[in-house]
Amino acid sequence: MNEAAVTARLERKHLAGQTAHARLDRYYEGHVRLASIGLSLPPEMRRLSTVVNWPALYVDALEERLDVEGFRLDGAADADDPLRQWWQANDLDEESQLAHLDALVYGRAFVTVGAASDDGAPPVIRVESARTMATDFDPYTRRITAALRLLADEPEDEPRDRDDHHVTRSSVRRRALPP
């Protein structure tokens, strides 16, 4: 299949997922009121129903405990320093929290790895929002076979994380990643 067809299919897949992402956001942000079955609440009091933001409390409590402390390669007794340096160079102590939060809220998170612009520099590792990515996944190999990252036309329209930071920082509009 050619790149244009893959890009079009992934764009449709991305758009189809926006409704689910919006619903999950509403639950996480506490904008969904639970329906009352009306047994213990008199009808005249139903308008006073409240939203208890349990999803965010639960998700945030889990995310706060997900901290990467180091990397150990197979067969090594100690943490791998070059991997830790790459982690630090890409500010992944902070950025990885966005991936953890996306994984808990949306059920998936993405990290992209690109080549460094300078020889000897660490690779560019970025957390990408599930709201801006669409992928094809091979269930047999458990690998992503194609990926698409969609960006807004204007930087101020880019999705933001919960602390109002932009979650994407690239001028590329559409890019299908090769398998």
Side-chain angles (χ1 to χ4, degrees), residues 10 12 54 68 120 123 158:
L10 289 173
R12 285 190 304 273
W54 289 112
V68 176
E158 286 294 325

Side-chain angles (χ1 to χ4, degrees), residues 128-176:
E128 305 290 353
S129 174
R131 293 175 288 173
T132 63
M133 294 283 293
T135 62
D136 281 342
F137 178 79
D138 183 345
Y140 181 71
T141 62
R142 299 184 203 166
R143 293 183 186 254
I144 292 175
T145 57
L148 177 71
R149 178 173 170 245
L150 293 170
L151 303 177
D153 289 333
E154 301 296 326
E156 60 270 9
D157 295 333
E158 286 294 325
R160 296 176 178 269
D161 66 15
R162 307 285 183 229
D163 296 322
D164 204 34
H165 297 108
H166 285 291
V167 295
T168 56
R169 293 174 290 285
S170 173
S171 61
V172 177
R173 249 196 90 156
R174 279 188 206 144
R175 173 80 190 217

Side-chain angles (χ1 to χ4, degrees), residues 71-136:
F71 298 94
R72 195 172 11 197
L73 297 176
D74 189 30
D78 296 325
D80 188 73
D81 280 338
L83 290 178
R84 186 64 178 171
Q85 290 170 1
W86 291 359
W87 184 266
Q88 294 294 326
N90 286 283
D91 196 29
L92 290 172
D93 283 335
E94 296 297 323
E95 295 286 317
S96 65
Q97 294 172 352
L98 298 174
H100 298 153
L101 189 59
D102 265 16
L104 292 167
V105 172
Y106 304 117
R108 63 184 168 274
F110 300 97
V111 175
T112 59
V113 181
S117 58
D118 299 327
D119 287 342
V124 177
I125 306 169
R126 297 174 22 138
V127 172
E128 305 290 353
S129 174
R131 293 175 288 173
T132 63
M133 294 283 293
T135 62
D136 281 342

Side-chain angles (χ1 to χ4, degrees), residues 9-26 105-108 129-135 150:
R9 185 183 71 252
L10 289 173
E11 191 169 6
R12 285 190 304 273
K13 191 174 189 178
H14 175 265
L15 291 173
Q18 292 306 299
T19 302
H21 287 154
R23 180 178 51 85
L24 293 169
D25 270 335
R26 285 193 307 275
V105 172
Y106 304 117
R108 63 184 168 274
S129 174
R131 293 175 288 173
T132 63
M133 294 283 293
T135 62
L150 293 170

